[in-house]
Amino acid sequence: MKARWFVPLCLLGALAVSTTATATTRSVPVCGAMQLNTKAHPCSPTGVHCPIVSATGVLGTSTNVAGGIAETSGAYGGLTVDCTGVADQMTLKAPGHTFMLVHATTSLDRCGVHNDTITCNFNVPQERLGLGYVGAWQDSINWRFTPSDSASHDVKYGSCDIPVTVTLSNGNATAVSKNTQTVCMFAAGDVLK
């Protein structure tokens, strides 16, 4: 009589389960409001919402003449965002224009300019304080275009109506990217815009 080997069915099921478990990949969770996307703790920053509160331009030197006069030392502009999740970097691009300088209204943020691009590295612990207290944080930057930029010589619109792209990053991933334009309340003969 030959010996027969029996493998219990429950053992075969366990082998099949362990094989399929190692073959699948884990999905990356959505970042929590206070979570930064890192190699050690990866997450997808799709839950970050950052409405642009304002993107403003300036008509020029203040006069009684509608539209002002050109700000030939460098036209001004500004941006304010209000976010519901952490973002450690922001990039603002204004194609066809050149920036001279940028000023972050929060002292712990670090911003710089290069041609048509402004880059700001935000202070994440400070953002977490805002998220913990009120569920959001707000940040503003102000900039000047170069004296040779067209916005610095435009007597009709100044730095109004300039298309910009604002991108916020969480770790190495884009959290939010939006196209907008700088807006002024009055321009060109005091027509409401």
Side-chain angles (χ1 to χ4, degrees):
M1 181 170 170
K2 293 184 179 179
R4 293 188 180 174
W5 295 94
F6 293 100
V7 179
L9 289 177
C10 62
L11 182 57
L12 285 175
L15 289 173
V17 169
S18 65
T19 304
T20 56
T22 56
T24 60
T25 57
R26 290 185 356 178
S27 62
V28 177
V30 173
C31 296
M34 297 193 195
Q35 184 179 359
L36 190 62
N37 178 29
T38 63
K39 285 184 180 180
H41 303 286
C43 61
S44 174
T46 54
V48 177
H49 302 288
C50 292
I52 296 171
V53 176
S54 65
T56 57
V58 177
L59 292 175
T61 303
S62 191
T63 66
N64 291 330
V65 179
I69 59 176
E71 189 67 64
T72 55
S73 60
Y76 293 91
L79 176 84
T80 301
V81 293
D82 190 71
C83 297
T84 62
V86 295
D88 61 343
Q89 189 176 74
M90 181 186 74
T91 304
L92 181 137
K93 290 182 78 68
H97 293 274
T98 51
F99 295 108
M100 178 170 58
L101 60 90
V102 61
H103 171 71
T105 58
T106 303
S107 63
L108 297 175
D109 295 337
R110 298 289 174 250
C111 297
V113 299
H114 182 69
N115 296 330
D116 68 347
T117 305
I118 293 172
T119 304
C120 291
N121 292 315
F122 289 149
N123 184 277
V124 173
Q126 196 170 28
E127 292 174 1
R128 288 182 175 137
L129 281 175
L131 289 167
Y133 283 114
V134 296
W137 57 270
Q138 192 173 89
D139 218 322
S140 297
I141 60 169
N142 297 306
W143 64 79
R144 287 184 78 174
F145 292 98
T146 59
S148 61
D149 190 89
S150 60
S152 301
H153 297 274
D154 190 330
V155 296
K156 190 173 184 181
Y157 295 109
S159 61
C160 312
D161 300 334
I162 294 177
V164 296
T165 301
V166 180
T167 304
L168 286 107
S169 302
N170 178 323
N172 57 358
T174 297
V176 177
S177 188
K178 296 180 180 182
N179 294 323
T180 189
Q181 67 182 29
T182 57
V183 175
C184 298
M185 188 178 293
F186 294 98
D190 286 340
V191 175
L192 186 63
K193 294 182 73 72

